[in-house]
Amino acid sequence: MHEFQLRVYFEDTDLAGIVYYANYLKFIERARSEFIRTLGVDQVALKRDFDTVFAVRAVSVDYLQPARFDDLLCVQTQITTVGGARVGLAQTVRRDATVLVVAEVTLVCLTESGRPTRIPAEVSNKLQSLTQ
């Protein structure tokens, strides 16, 4: 499981002083990008060398409790499935031990023109090694 910490800034909050719901999508995106980076996958090189990019196919988010300005959050990311062109992820946003948000994300591999394509073997092997 990968962990990514971030601080809630004023710009992340709404008039009620809590994190605006859509900003959690940004938080979990940053965590996914850092997770992929820690695997040694260079997404710029993936696009350049294989004409392949990851895109979000589906996301399901359950908002359980609000985060507030200046909270230190931890986004946990775990791979749940790896297919030929898809990757399933479970992501949880926590403040200390309190679970605030739970998300299920499906990524797909696409060519730059938007057509589905298989995950390159080197990347797939790295991803699959974390599902076992």
Side-chain angles (χ1 to χ4, degrees), residues 17-33:
I18 62 176
V19 172
Y20 182 66
Y21 78 97
N23 286 331
Y24 288 102
L25 296 176
K26 294 178 183 180
F27 297 165
I28 64 176
E29 172 68 31
R30 291 176 197 156
R32 283 194 309 275
S33 293

Side-chain angles (χ1 to χ4, degrees), residues 73-106:
L73 306 180
C74 179
V75 181
Q76 297 173 313
T77 304
Q78 185 170 6
I79 296 175
T80 56
T81 59
V82 179
R86 291 183 183 210
V87 180
L89 299 154
Q91 293 190 273
T92 304
V93 181
R94 297 177 180 271
R95 180 184 51 239
D96 299 319
T98 304
V99 176
L100 307 178
V101 172
V102 176
E104 293 180 20
V105 181
T106 302

Side-chain angles (χ1 to χ4, degrees), residues 2 8-9 34 39 48 54 59 69 71 82 102 112 124:
H2 179 263
V8 174
Y9 295 108
E34 291 303 320
L39 294 176
R48 181 189 62 232
F54 284 109
V59 63
F69 171 72
D71 281 352
V82 179
V102 176
E112 192 170 354
S124 181

